[in-house]
Amino acid sequence: QAPSCSVACLRHTSAMLQLYKNEAVTNVARRQINIREMELHWYSNNYSQLAAQGAMFAGFAFTQLTTPLNGKASAALQYTYMLCTAFALGFQLCVCLSSTFCCIFGRGLALRGPHGARSVHVAVDNLRKEQKLVFTQFLLGGLCYLFSQMSQLFIFRKPVTAIIISVVLAVFFFMIVYNTIEITAKLQVSETVAITGQIKALGPYERIKDLDQEIYAPLDRSMYATTG
């Protein structure tokens, strides 16, 4: 009985060790996902802010497009005004749609992706890549809207009044450009030195598939096949 007892104890101990090892790997992987979730929330909040501001500018631009123009203005000035307004509306609509798609499909991929932790990495990395393009579109849309406003002054106002207000707007335009460059230079983290939540050493453990899909689903399919 003693040898059989020792063999059973060894099997029990090996099973416990296997469970402890799996638990340790799972806990570390879960903590990594918690860190990546912080990045996911940060990018999602950025896209939400860009979408809200872009929708506001798009509403202003659409209102200007539907406003009748003054027939006394020159054709070149009217074309400039309409083009700037159309570009402003187009850029801001791109911002709204891109931000909405990134929030919906990015978070969906991270939550319901078929590859587990690797799906989370793909979602966060693509949100990071798209953010620069969406932000550039937002800035271009804002600048086109400002030029549209300056052109509108010369259409609906007297030349002297339009010149005075345009000078004031030009001052604020250069202030916006200066503040944007200064804030970006001081606060933006370069892609080459930015730290991500992905732990490269855990890459092999991220290839573990969903146990439910790998074990239960084949059994379920074979049962239905046998029944049919």
Side-chain angles (χ1 to χ4, degrees), residues 32-227:
Q32 178 191 211
I33 295 303
N34 291 336
I35 298 175
R36 299 245 80 180
E37 187 179 9
M38 296 172 61
E39 295 182 86
L40 185 66
H41 286 317
W42 183 71
Y43 286 120
S44 298
N45 291 332
N46 291 345
Y47 284 116
S48 298
Q49 293 292 331
L50 289 172
Q53 301 300 323
M56 180 184 65
F57 279 112
F60 292 158
F62 180 78
T63 302
Q64 290 184 196
L65 284 177
T66 56
T67 302
L69 296 179
N70 187 359
K72 297 180 180 179
S74 62
L77 187 58
Q78 293 186 18
Y79 286 141
T80 302
Y81 167 71
M82 296 299 294
L83 284 176
C84 291
T85 307
F87 275 113
L89 178 60
F91 279 127
Q92 299 303 338
L93 287 178
C94 288
V95 170
C96 294
L97 293 177
S98 299
S99 299
T100 302
F101 291 156
C102 286
C103 287
I104 293 176
F105 296 110
R107 296 176 71 91
L109 176 61
L111 181 64
R112 305 172 64 245
H115 303 296
R118 286 183 294 170
S119 296
V120 178
H121 298 324
V122 171
V124 174
D125 292 340
N126 281 281
L127 288 178
R128 173 181 53 82
K129 294 176 183 178
E130 291 295 326
Q131 183 176 239
K132 182 178 294 184
L133 175 62
V134 176
F135 186 70
T136 302
Q137 292 174 347
F138 177 77
L139 289 179
L140 291 176
L143 294 178
C144 290
Y145 179 76
L146 185 59
F147 287 132
S148 172
Q149 289 293 317
M150 296 175 66
S151 302
Q152 186 184 36
L153 292 173
F154 289 93
I155 296 177
F156 294 99
R157 303 293 180 182
K158 296 180 180 180
V160 177
T161 306
I163 292 174
I164 295 175
I165 299 177
S166 296
V167 170
V168 176
L169 290 178
V171 171
F172 281 103
F173 168 75
F174 287 110
M175 289 178 60
I176 292 173
V177 173
Y178 175 77
N179 289 332
T180 301
I181 295 175
E182 184 182 19
I183 293 174
T184 303
K186 290 182 178 179
L187 299 180
Q188 186 181 25
V189 181
S190 176
E191 295 293 338
T192 57
V193 298
I195 299 176
T196 64
Q198 183 177 7
I199 302 175
K200 301 293 185 180
L202 296 178
Y205 297 104
E206 295 171 357
R207 298 172 183 170
I208 300 176
K209 298 182 179 180
D210 190 353
L211 297 180
D212 179 64
Q213 294 291 331
E214 292 297 315
I215 298 176
Y216 178 75
L219 293 177
D220 190 41
R221 288 194 295 268
S222 62
M223 182 181 67
Y224 279 110
T226 305
T227 304

